[in-house]
Amino acid sequence: MKILLLEDDVILQEIIEEFLLENGYEVESYFDGEKALDAIGSNRYDMLLLDVNVPSIDGFEILSYLREIGNTTPAIYITSLAGIDDLKKGFDLGADDYLKKPFELEELKARIEHIVRLYRLQEEIEFDGMTFIPKAHQILVDDRVIEMRQKEAQVLEYFIRNTGKIISCDEIIENVWDDEHIPAHATIRTYIKNLRKMFNKEYFDNIKGEGYRFNIL
Protein backbone atom coordinates (compact mmCIF):
# COMPACT_ATOMS: atom_id res chain seq x y z
CA MET A 1 0.00 0.00 0.00
CA LYS A 2 1.16 3.48 -0.90
CA ILE A 3 0.29 6.18 1.64
CA LEU A 4 0.57 9.95 1.35
CA LEU A 5 1.36 11.61 4.67
CA LEU A 6 0.75 15.35 5.10
CA GLU A 7 2.20 16.55 8.41
CA ASP A 8 4.08 19.81 9.02
CA ASP A 9 5.53 18.79 12.40
CA VAL A 10 8.98 17.58 11.33
CA ILE A 11 9.55 15.24 14.27
CA LEU A 12 6.07 13.72 14.17
CA GLN A 13 6.27 13.28 10.41
CA GLU A 14 9.54 11.35 10.77
CA ILE A 15 8.11 9.19 13.57
CA ILE A 16 4.96 8.30 11.61
CA GLU A 17 6.86 7.69 8.36
CA GLU A 18 9.40 5.40 10.03
CA PHE A 19 6.64 3.46 11.79
CA LEU A 20 4.68 2.95 8.57
CA LEU A 21 7.78 1.88 6.65
CA GLU A 22 8.61 -0.65 9.37
CA ASN A 23 5.10 -2.07 8.95
CA GLY A 24 5.47 -2.60 5.22
CA TYR A 25 3.80 0.49 3.82
CA GLU A 26 5.22 2.70 1.10
CA VAL A 27 5.12 6.34 2.27
CA GLU A 28 5.53 9.74 0.65
CA SER A 29 5.59 12.64 3.13
CA TYR A 30 4.83 16.31 2.65
CA PHE A 31 4.90 19.37 4.91
CA ASP A 32 3.01 21.69 2.55
CA GLY A 33 -0.62 21.27 1.49
CA GLU A 34 -0.12 22.60 -2.03
CA LYS A 35 2.74 20.21 -2.72
CA ALA A 36 0.74 17.32 -1.30
CA LEU A 37 -2.21 18.17 -3.57
CA ASP A 38 0.11 18.33 -6.60
CA ALA A 39 1.43 14.87 -5.68
CA ILE A 40 -2.07 13.45 -5.36
CA GLY A 41 -2.90 14.82 -8.80
CA SER A 42 0.03 13.08 -10.46
CA ASN A 43 0.37 9.84 -8.46
CA ARG A 44 -1.82 7.02 -7.20
CA TYR A 45 -2.15 6.56 -3.44
CA ASP A 46 -4.11 3.90 -1.59
CA MET A 47 -4.66 6.13 1.46
CA LEU A 48 -4.20 9.71 2.61
CA LEU A 49 -3.13 10.74 6.12
CA LEU A 50 -3.88 14.45 6.40
CA ASP A 51 -3.09 16.99 9.06
CA VAL A 52 -5.41 20.01 8.94
CA ASN A 53 -3.28 23.01 9.92
CA VAL A 54 -0.52 22.91 7.31
CA PRO A 55 1.00 25.62 5.08
CA SER A 56 -0.54 26.78 1.76
CA ILE A 57 -3.69 24.65 1.61
CA ASP A 58 -5.14 23.09 4.75
CA GLY A 59 -6.26 19.50 5.04
CA PHE A 60 -9.96 20.37 4.99
CA GLU A 61 -9.60 22.24 1.70
CA ILE A 62 -7.59 19.41 0.15
CA LEU A 63 -10.16 16.72 0.89
CA SER A 64 -13.06 18.97 -0.09
CA TYR A 65 -11.47 19.55 -3.49
CA LEU A 66 -10.62 15.88 -4.00
CA ARG A 67 -14.16 14.73 -3.25
CA GLU A 68 -15.58 17.41 -5.57
CA ILE A 69 -13.56 16.08 -8.52
CA GLY A 70 -14.49 12.47 -7.76
CA ASN A 71 -11.29 11.32 -6.04
CA THR A 72 -12.43 8.71 -3.52
CA THR A 73 -9.06 7.72 -2.03
CA PRO A 74 -9.66 6.79 1.64
CA ALA A 75 -8.49 9.53 4.01
CA ILE A 76 -7.74 9.75 7.72
CA TYR A 77 -7.35 13.10 9.45
CA ILE A 78 -4.57 13.20 12.05
CA THR A 79 -4.94 16.54 13.82
CA SER A 80 -4.82 18.39 17.11
CA LEU A 81 -8.24 19.88 16.36
CA ALA A 82 -10.39 18.14 18.93
CA GLY A 83 -13.69 20.03 18.82
CA ILE A 84 -16.88 18.26 17.83
CA ASP A 85 -17.44 20.81 15.05
CA ASP A 86 -14.04 19.98 13.53
CA LEU A 87 -14.76 16.28 13.85
CA LYS A 88 -18.13 16.70 12.12
CA LYS A 89 -16.60 18.86 9.40
CA GLY A 90 -13.97 16.24 8.67
CA PHE A 91 -16.53 13.51 8.18
CA ASP A 92 -18.88 15.78 6.22
CA LEU A 93 -16.04 16.47 3.78
CA GLY A 94 -15.62 12.75 3.15
CA ALA A 95 -12.99 11.58 5.63
CA ASP A 96 -13.05 7.88 6.51
CA ASP A 97 -11.62 8.37 10.00
CA TYR A 98 -10.44 11.12 12.36
CA LEU A 99 -7.55 10.60 14.77
CA LYS A 100 -6.89 13.22 17.45
CA LYS A 101 -3.34 14.07 18.53
CA PRO A 102 -1.64 12.83 20.57
CA PHE A 103 -2.25 9.21 19.58
CA GLU A 104 -0.52 5.86 19.84
CA LEU A 105 1.11 4.63 16.65
CA GLU A 106 -0.53 1.24 17.10
CA GLU A 107 -3.91 2.99 17.07
CA LEU A 108 -3.04 4.59 13.73
CA LYS A 109 -2.03 1.19 12.41
CA ALA A 110 -5.31 -0.35 13.61
CA ARG A 111 -7.34 2.37 11.91
CA ILE A 112 -5.45 1.95 8.64
CA GLU A 113 -5.96 -1.82 8.75
CA HIS A 114 -9.67 -1.33 9.47
CA ILE A 115 -10.10 0.83 6.37
CA VAL A 116 -8.11 -1.66 4.28
CA ARG A 117 -10.47 -4.44 5.39
CA LEU A 118 -13.53 -2.25 4.96
CA TYR A 119 -12.72 -1.32 1.37
CA ARG A 120 -10.73 -4.47 0.54
CA LEU A 121 -8.15 -2.15 -0.98
CA GLN A 122 -5.72 -4.92 -1.86
CA GLU A 123 -8.13 -6.68 -4.21
CA GLU A 124 -7.09 -6.08 -7.81
CA ILE A 125 -8.52 -7.39 -11.08
CA GLU A 126 -6.18 -7.62 -14.07
CA PHE A 127 -7.69 -7.33 -17.54
CA ASP A 128 -6.29 -6.41 -20.95
CA GLY A 129 -3.08 -5.00 -19.48
CA MET A 130 -4.89 -2.86 -16.91
CA THR A 131 -5.31 -3.15 -13.15
CA PHE A 132 -8.76 -2.50 -11.75
CA ILE A 133 -9.07 -1.81 -8.00
CA PRO A 134 -12.83 -1.98 -7.37
CA LYS A 135 -12.93 -0.66 -3.81
CA ALA A 136 -10.63 2.25 -4.62
CA HIS A 137 -12.69 3.02 -7.74
CA GLN A 138 -9.56 3.19 -9.88
CA ILE A 139 -8.05 1.65 -12.99
CA LEU A 140 -4.29 1.74 -13.51
CA VAL A 141 -3.18 1.79 -17.14
CA ASP A 142 0.39 2.59 -18.18
CA ASP A 143 1.26 5.72 -16.18
CA ARG A 144 -2.33 6.92 -15.81
CA VAL A 145 -4.93 6.52 -13.10
CA ILE A 146 -8.56 6.45 -14.20
CA GLU A 147 -10.81 7.61 -11.36
CA MET A 148 -14.49 6.70 -11.29
CA ARG A 149 -17.46 7.01 -9.00
CA GLN A 150 -18.47 4.22 -6.66
CA LYS A 151 -21.44 2.98 -8.69
CA GLU A 152 -19.46 3.12 -11.93
CA ALA A 153 -16.84 0.91 -10.30
CA GLN A 154 -19.49 -1.52 -9.05
CA VAL A 155 -21.13 -1.74 -12.48
CA LEU A 156 -17.77 -2.32 -14.16
CA GLU A 157 -16.83 -4.98 -11.61
CA TYR A 158 -20.07 -6.86 -12.31
CA PHE A 159 -19.43 -6.79 -16.06
CA ILE A 160 -15.81 -7.92 -15.70
CA ARG A 161 -16.81 -10.82 -13.47
CA ASN A 162 -19.40 -11.81 -16.09
CA THR A 163 -17.29 -11.26 -19.20
CA GLY A 164 -18.95 -12.54 -22.38
CA LYS A 165 -22.40 -12.80 -20.82
CA ILE A 166 -25.33 -10.69 -22.03
CA ILE A 167 -26.49 -8.66 -19.03
CA SER A 168 -29.76 -6.76 -18.89
CA CYS A 169 -30.36 -3.49 -17.07
CA ASP A 170 -32.61 -5.35 -14.64
CA GLU A 171 -29.81 -7.80 -13.80
CA ILE A 172 -27.41 -4.95 -13.12
CA ILE A 173 -29.97 -3.26 -10.86
CA GLU A 174 -30.63 -6.50 -8.98
CA ASN A 175 -26.95 -7.18 -8.32
CA VAL A 176 -25.52 -3.69 -7.81
CA TRP A 177 -28.28 -1.64 -6.21
CA ASP A 178 -30.14 -2.27 -2.98
CA ASP A 179 -33.92 -2.54 -2.92
CA GLU A 180 -34.41 0.96 -1.50
CA HIS A 181 -32.70 2.83 -4.34
CA ILE A 182 -33.76 1.36 -7.67
CA PRO A 183 -32.56 3.42 -10.65
CA ALA A 184 -34.26 3.78 -14.03
CA HIS A 185 -32.88 1.95 -17.05
CA ALA A 186 -31.80 5.35 -18.40
CA THR A 187 -29.53 5.72 -15.37
CA ILE A 188 -27.88 2.37 -16.11
CA ARG A 189 -27.32 3.40 -19.72
CA THR A 190 -25.69 6.61 -18.49
CA TYR A 191 -23.28 4.68 -16.26
CA ILE A 192 -22.29 2.43 -19.16
CA LYS A 193 -21.87 5.46 -21.42
CA ASN A 194 -19.53 7.01 -18.82
CA LEU A 195 -17.52 3.80 -18.55
CA ARG A 196 -17.14 3.60 -22.33
CA LYS A 197 -15.55 7.04 -22.38
CA MET A 198 -12.84 5.92 -19.94
CA PHE A 199 -11.26 3.43 -22.31
CA ASN A 200 -9.45 3.67 -25.64
CA LYS A 201 -11.09 0.40 -26.72
CA GLU A 202 -14.76 -0.52 -26.98
CA TYR A 203 -15.44 -3.25 -24.43
CA PHE A 204 -19.24 -2.98 -24.28
CA ASP A 205 -21.45 -4.50 -26.97
CA ASN A 206 -25.02 -3.24 -27.09
CA ILE A 207 -27.26 -6.26 -27.72
CA LYS A 208 -30.50 -4.73 -28.97
CA GLY A 209 -33.49 -5.62 -26.84
CA GLU A 210 -31.41 -7.74 -24.42
CA GLY A 211 -28.74 -5.66 -22.73
CA TYR A 212 -24.96 -5.37 -22.83
CA ARG A 213 -22.03 -7.73 -23.14
CA PHE A 214 -18.52 -6.99 -21.85
CA ASN A 215 -15.79 -8.38 -24.07
CA ILE A 216 -12.06 -8.37 -23.40
CA LEU A 217 -10.50 -8.33 -26.86
Side-chain angles (χ1 to χ4, degrees):
M1 271 189 59
K2 188 174 181 180
I3 296 176
L4 180 138
L5 170 63
L6 174 59
E7 172 58 65
D8 67 340
D9 182 316
V10 178
I11 295 176
L12 181 58
Q13 185 195 90
E14 291 179 352
I15 291 172
I16 295 174
E17 180 175 347
E18 183 178 353
F19 176 78
L20 293 175
L21 290 171
E22 288 175 351
N23 281 274
Y25 297 104
E26 182 180 351
V27 186
E28 289 186 4
S29 299
Y30 295 88
F31 301 99
D32 178 276
E34 185 174 359
K35 291 181 179 178
L37 189 56
D38 287 343
I40 295 168
S42 57
N43 298 280
R44 182 186 74 85
Y45 298 97
D46 299 296
M47 189 172 298
L48 309 174
L49 301 181
L50 304 174
D51 191 4
V52 175
N53 291 325
V54 294
S56 300
I57 304 174
D58 71 41
F60 284 150
E61 292 177 284
I62 289 173
L63 193 59
S64 176
Y65 171 74
L66 292 175
R67 296 306 188 239
E68 283 180 8
I69 64 172
N71 185 313
T72 57
T73 306
I76 299 175
Y77 278 121
I78 48 174
T79 177
S80 57
L81 297 177
I84 188 64
D85 290 340
D86 296 310
L87 177 67
K88 185 177 184 301
K89 182 177 181 179
F91 283 118
D92 287 345
L93 290 174
D96 295 87
D97 209 339
Y98 195 103
L99 189 57
K100 299 176 185 178
K101 300 176 185 176
F103 55 83
E104 296 291 335
L105 291 172
E106 287 296 332
E107 181 181 1
L108 174 61
K109 179 184 175 184
R111 290 174 184 266
I112 291 173
E113 290 175 346
H114 170 71
I115 291 176
V116 169
R117 288 192 299 270
L118 183 65
Y119 290 99
R120 294 162 61 202
L121 293 179
Q122 290 105 330
E123 182 179 11
E124 299 179 352
I125 300 173
E126 303 286 341
F127 75 97
D128 204 14
M130 293 179 279
T131 301
F132 176 39
I133 310 175
K135 298 305 178 183
H137 318 141
Q138 295 175 330
I139 292 176
L140 314 182
V141 50
D142 298 326
D143 58 348
R144 295 188 301 124
V145 178
I146 301 174
E147 301 277 0
M148 62 186 69
R149 299 185 183 279
Q150 180 181 5
K151 283 302 180 186
E152 291 170 344
Q154 290 175 336
V155 170
L156 179 60
E157 181 180 7
Y158 190 77
F159 271 108
I160 291 175
R161 295 191 185 282
N162 292 277
T163 297
K165 175 185 174 183
I166 298 175
I167 300 173
S168 67
C169 290
D170 287 332
E171 182 176 344
I172 296 171
I173 293 170
E174 182 179 350
N175 287 277
V176 176
W177 271 262
D178 58 51
D179 293 336
E180 297 180 0
H181 304 91
I182 299 177
H185 285 194
T187 301
I188 304 300
R189 291 193 289 270
T190 298
Y191 279 114
I192 294 173
K193 180 180 179 180
N194 292 342
L195 289 170
R196 276 177 159 154
K197 292 178 180 178
M198 296 177 188
F199 302 105
N200 295 323
K201 295 181 182 179
E202 179 55 78
Y203 293 102
F204 294 90
D205 289 338
N206 188 349
I207 312 300
K208 189 174 181 179
E210 296 185 62
Y212 299 88
R213 180 172 55 213
F214 187 86
N215 294 311
I216 298 177
L217 306 177

